[in-house]
RNA sequence: AGUGGUGUACGCAAAUGGUUCAAGCGGCUUGGUUUUCACCCAAGUGAUUGCGGGUUCAAUCCCCGUCGCCACUCCCA
């Protein structure tokens, strides 16, 4: 049997990390079995679906390297198929029109809640007489369409992650709605559970891999598979990604969409690596750094965890740094340039390329997130230094002004500037002023960078010199001191 | 309230009846390196495997109970 899996996001928001992780598992499974990974956009909720979200989802998946083999297929373009399926259910008397109003349903749930009962639809319109139906229609009520769920029914399946699963029909909340309200005789907007089953059947999906929050839906959907088709896919319900409080990670938890992670400076490789690790482990669990292709080779649901996993920024950061640090400057610089540009730094990415690469080589091994390059290198792009409080305190110490003045003197007599010349200049000042080298270095750092900490001083100096701002800064510092 | 699921250190997790330390990574602490910071390197830290019982020569692992936590119970997906 060929493996055919699908990712079925609804475009009601940007690509969420939970959806992306589901995508990762689907992709890994498909690739492992040389199957197909299909992308389907579930936009049946017209009110909440937006094209820009669809675009964001497509972009995010592409960025992560989760290429799909078919699609995107839009449910909004398949309404006819859903209507046909609904009509079939109606014709077979497996579904019926329910005229209960939302208000009545609310009241029902309220009273059930008050009696400490589980909320459920009481199937009150399952066997309406023609007269009753006519009366409701005369009242102007618009019916939804519900599929009958046998309370005594038993639904079983074997979940690839959780093993044997069993549900009672009576625990499914009563007959389920498959189409929104619309004038009797017509068929309203099809709902999720129905559309999913029709599509998965049409697309010959072999395995449904999704988050465990869908487990109850699976029981309902199996009923529809039985009514509408003759095959039922295999299911795998993956654990959820949790926030620090242990709840399902949602938009309320702040940064949760893939484009946000991208913007913050995580690499696609690192993020995909981390998402895979959240709930799955390679056969050699000590080997935590891997590319999607490597994971696909050995992916299996036997090694997918059952419990939800809390999202951990520290670990993601660490993984990201592991991808960034060994990256050659010639490659890294390409990734850094957009961040520098976004920060508003002025530079010519072509003409100044060597300088930018040199800078990248300097800060690259210290980066955690790509965006860190902004704060780390700001002082190199700025025209003038802004002195930190610490730096000013240092500059005002005894002997600093004199040392800097001496340094300025030495430098201005220099014919050509180089790393060696810089070193000898410092030594000369130390000798002339009779101060410790540490003092000169610290003063120089404060002068050139405006701060007491930062990347390697001599390298920074060389970069600054190429921009022709080093002497100016030393003068600026002398004024402060 | 019901139904389903789940519980190994601060977080992710490995080992699933059988050695000596219940792996590893992150975190945190300390040291080294850098005359700074970060990175990096090293060491250290921390778990009566939720709890109680049972089966067994032997239980993280199997069984029962219990507690906690999570998800679901929309004319959302």
């Amino acid at each position: 049997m060929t493996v055919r899996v699908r990712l079925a996001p609804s475009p009601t928001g940007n690509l969420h990390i939970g959806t992306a992780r589901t995508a990762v598992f689907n992709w890994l499974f498909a690739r492992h079995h040389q199957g197909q990974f299909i992308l389907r956009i579930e936009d049946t909720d017209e009110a909440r679906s937006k094209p820009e979200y669809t675009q964001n989802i497509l972009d995010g998946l592409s960025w992560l390297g989760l290429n799909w083999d078919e699609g995107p297929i839009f449910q909004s373009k398949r309404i006819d198929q859903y209507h046909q399926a609904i009509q079939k259910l109606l014709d077979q008397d497996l579904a019926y029109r329910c005229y209960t109003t939302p208000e009545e349903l609310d009241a029902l749930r309220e009273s059930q809640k008050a009696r400490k009962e589980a909320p459920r639809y009481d199937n009150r319109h399952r066997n309406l007489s023609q007269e009753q139906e006519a009366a409701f229609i005369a009242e102007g009520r618009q019916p939804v369409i519900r599929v009958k769920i046998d309370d005594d029914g038993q639904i079983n399946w074997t979940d690839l992650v959780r093993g044997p699963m069993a549900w009672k029909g009576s625990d499914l909340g009563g007959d389920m709605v498959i189409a929104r309200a619309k004038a009797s005789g017509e068929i309203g907007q099809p709902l999720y559970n129905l559309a999913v089953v029709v599509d998965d059947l049409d697309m010959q999906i072999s395995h449904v891999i999704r988050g465990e929050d869908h487990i109850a839906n699976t029981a309902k959907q199996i009923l529809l598979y039985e009514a509408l088709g003759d095959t039922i896919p295999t299911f795998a319900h993956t654990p959820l990604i949790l926030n620090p409080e242990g709840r399902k990670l949602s938009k309320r938890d702040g940064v949760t969409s893939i484009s946000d992670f991208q913007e913050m400076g995580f690499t696609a490789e690192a993020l995909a690596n981390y998402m895979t690790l959240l709930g799955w482990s390679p056969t050699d669990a000590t080997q935590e750094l891997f590319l999607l292709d490597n994971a696909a080779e050995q992916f299996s649901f036997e090694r997918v965890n059952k419990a939800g996993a809390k999202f951990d920024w520290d670990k993601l950061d660490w993984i990201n740094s592991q991808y960034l640090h060994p990256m050659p400057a010639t490659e890294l610089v390409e990734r850094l340039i957009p961040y520098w540009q976004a920060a508003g730094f002025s530079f010519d990415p072509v003409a100044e390329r060597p300088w930018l690469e040199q800078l990248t080589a300097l800060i690259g091994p210290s980066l955690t997130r790509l965006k860190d390059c902004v704060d780390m290198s700001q002082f190199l792009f700025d025209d003038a230094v802004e002195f930190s409080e610490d730096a000013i305190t240092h500059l005002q110490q005894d002997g600093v002004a004199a040392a800097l003045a001496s340094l300025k003197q030495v430098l201005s007599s220099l014919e050509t500037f180089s790393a060696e010349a810089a070193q000898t200049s410092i030594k000369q000042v130390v000798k002339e002023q009779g101060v410790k080298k540490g003092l000169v270095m610290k003063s120089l750092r404060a002068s050139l960078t405006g701060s007491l900490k930062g990347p390697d001083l001599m390298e920074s100096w060389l970069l600054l010199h190429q921009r022709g701002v080093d002497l100016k800064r030393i003068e600026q510092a002398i004024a402060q001191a």
Side-chain angles (χ1 to χ4, degrees):
Chain A
M1 179 186 62
T2 52
V3 164
R4 287 175 61 83
V5 298
R6 86 294 195 281
L7 180 76
S10 66
T12 53
N14 287 335
L15 179 60
H16 188 261
I17 182 142
T19 310
R21 212 271 303 253
T22 300
V24 169
F25 283 158
N26 272 282
W27 188 93
L28 291 173
F29 187 74
R31 291 293 168 265
H32 181 82
H33 294 280
Q34 279 112 36
Q36 284 100 50
F37 175 48
I38 296 147
L39 178 60
R40 184 173 74 221
I41 304 296
E42 309 222 322
D43 54 351
T44 51
D45 188 340
E46 285 176 6
R48 295 196 298 150
S49 297
K50 289 183 181 162
E52 55 263 43
Y53 291 140
T54 297
Q55 194 55 49
N56 181 277
I57 290 165
L58 263 39
D59 290 346
L61 292 172
S62 302
W63 178 68
L64 287 168
L66 301 171
N67 53 309
W68 53 93
D69 305 299
E70 292 175 28
I73 294 155
F74 292 86
Q75 288 193 326
S76 55
K77 299 204 172 121
R78 292 176 43 79
I79 302 297
D80 285 349
Q81 278 89 331
Y82 308 136
H83 282 188
Q84 280 171 31
I86 292 167
Q87 191 58 53
K88 185 178 164 192
L89 293 169
L90 247 15
D91 293 345
Q92 291 178 180
D93 201 29
L94 292 171
Y96 63 92
R97 291 196 160 78
C98 165
Y99 295 81
T100 316
T101 63
E103 295 71 29
E104 286 169 345
L105 283 174
D106 281 347
L108 177 64
R109 286 191 203 104
E110 288 294 298
S111 69
Q112 284 165 336
K113 232 173 161 181
R115 275 175 281 142
K116 301 219 167 193
E117 287 171 15
R120 56 172 280 141
Y121 171 62
D122 56 7
N123 302 344
R124 59 177 64 169
H125 288 183
R126 194 192 272 194
N127 296 303
L128 251 29
S129 67
Q130 292 210 323
E131 293 74 29
Q132 286 173 306
E133 220 173 321
F136 283 133
I137 293 168
E139 261 182 58
R141 291 195 187 204
Q142 297 211 327
V144 299
I145 297 170
R146 287 182 187 267
V147 163
K148 296 177 185 175
I149 295 178
D150 180 7
D151 272 354
D152 300 323
Q154 182 75 28
I155 300 133
N156 296 294
W157 80 88
T158 302
D159 197 284
L160 254 28
V161 175
R162 276 144 229 284
M165 302 285 296
W167 280 74
K168 285 204 274 286
S170 53
D171 291 327
L172 258 22
D175 295 342
M176 69 172 135
V177 182
I178 55 169
R180 282 207 172 86
K182 194 160 187 185
S184 199
E186 294 181 58
I187 292 172
Q189 269 178 43
L191 258 15
Y192 169 73
N193 280 125
L194 179 106
V196 164
V197 172
V198 170
D199 285 349
D200 286 344
L201 241 18
D202 277 0
M203 295 165 196
Q204 297 177 50
I205 299 303
S206 64
H207 295 76
V208 173
I209 302 162
R210 63 199 352 176
E212 68 160 301
D213 48 345
H214 279 288
I215 287 181
N217 284 326
T218 297
K220 293 180 188 172
Q221 288 170 18
I222 284 175
L223 261 17
L224 292 173
Y225 280 110
E226 287 168 348
L228 294 169
D230 42 31
T231 56
I232 299 177
T234 303
F235 295 92
H237 289 95
T238 64
L240 265 19
I241 299 180
L242 278 16
N243 65 18
E245 285 74 48
R247 295 180 187 282
K248 184 165 80 168
L249 197 69
S250 75
K251 301 109 232 153
R252 289 167 182 251
D253 293 303
V255 174
T256 53
S257 57
I258 297 304
S259 46
D260 290 340
F261 284 98
Q262 184 177 5
E263 205 173 299
M264 288 167 79
F266 291 100
T267 65
E269 294 84 353
L271 189 55
N273 190 155
Y274 181 62
M275 287 192 292
T276 309
L277 230 30
L278 228 43
W280 178 79
S281 52
T283 41
D284 175 7
T286 63
Q287 195 40 55
E288 295 195 306
L289 297 175
F290 49 77
L291 262 13
L292 246 23
D293 286 329
N294 306 331
E297 285 167 23
Q298 44 166 315
F299 185 80
S300 115
F301 280 106
E302 280 165 34
R303 295 190 70 82
V304 171
N305 248 61
K306 294 182 179 73
K310 285 182 188 167
F311 185 88
D312 183 19
W313 284 100
D314 287 328
K315 184 103 184 224
L316 206 214
D317 273 337
W318 178 78
I319 290 178
N320 201 54
S321 74
Q322 296 309 298
Y323 279 88
L324 255 26
H325 294 167
M327 212 178 273
T330 48
E331 183 188 338
L332 222 204
V333 71
E334 299 284 355
R335 304 195 186 221
L336 262 25
I337 285 170
Y339 289 92
W340 285 321
Q341 286 174 329
F345 296 165
S346 62
F347 62 94
D348 184 332
V350 179
E352 291 186 272
R353 175 70 181 230
W355 185 83
L356 293 169
E357 269 180 33
Q358 205 178 324
L359 165 56
T360 300
L362 174 62
I363 63 171
S366 307
L367 293 175
T368 296
R369 304 178 187 176
L370 292 166
K371 199 175 188 177
D372 294 344
C373 73
V374 172
D375 285 344
M376 274 185 199
S377 58
Q378 167 121 37
F379 72 95
L380 290 161
F381 288 95
D382 285 348
D383 282 336
V385 240
E386 269 186 50
F387 297 103
S388 73
E389 227 171 274
D390 284 359
I392 291 171
T393 309
H394 173 78
L395 289 173
Q396 290 171 345
Q397 276 179 17
D398 288 347
V400 171
L404 287 174
S406 163
L407 182 65
K408 187 193 159 196
Q409 188 74 31
V410 173
L411 291 174
S412 50
S413 66
L414 235 47
E415 279 181 21
T416 49
F417 186 80
S418 65
E420 296 73 37
Q423 289 288 2
T424 43
S425 302
I426 290 168
K427 278 184 196 147
Q428 200 177 326
V429 171
V430 168
K431 205 171 166 188
E432 276 179 16
Q433 297 293 309
V435 290
K436 286 182 182 160
K437 191 183 177 191
L439 180 101
V440 180
M441 294 295 283
K442 206 170 172 184
S443 306
L444 185 59
R445 176 176 289 286
S447 310
L448 293 176
T449 75
S451 169
L452 259 27
K453 51 187 183 184
D456 182 86
L457 185 54
M458 298 314 284
E459 284 294 319
S460 300
W461 191 1
L462 291 174
L463 286 164
L464 248 12
H465 182 81
Q466 288 174 53
R467 282 213 141 196
V469 293
D470 55 333
L471 269 178
K472 210 164 67 189
R473 290 191 182 191
I474 291 170
E475 283 162 15
Q476 207 183 328
I478 293 170
Q480 279 283 341

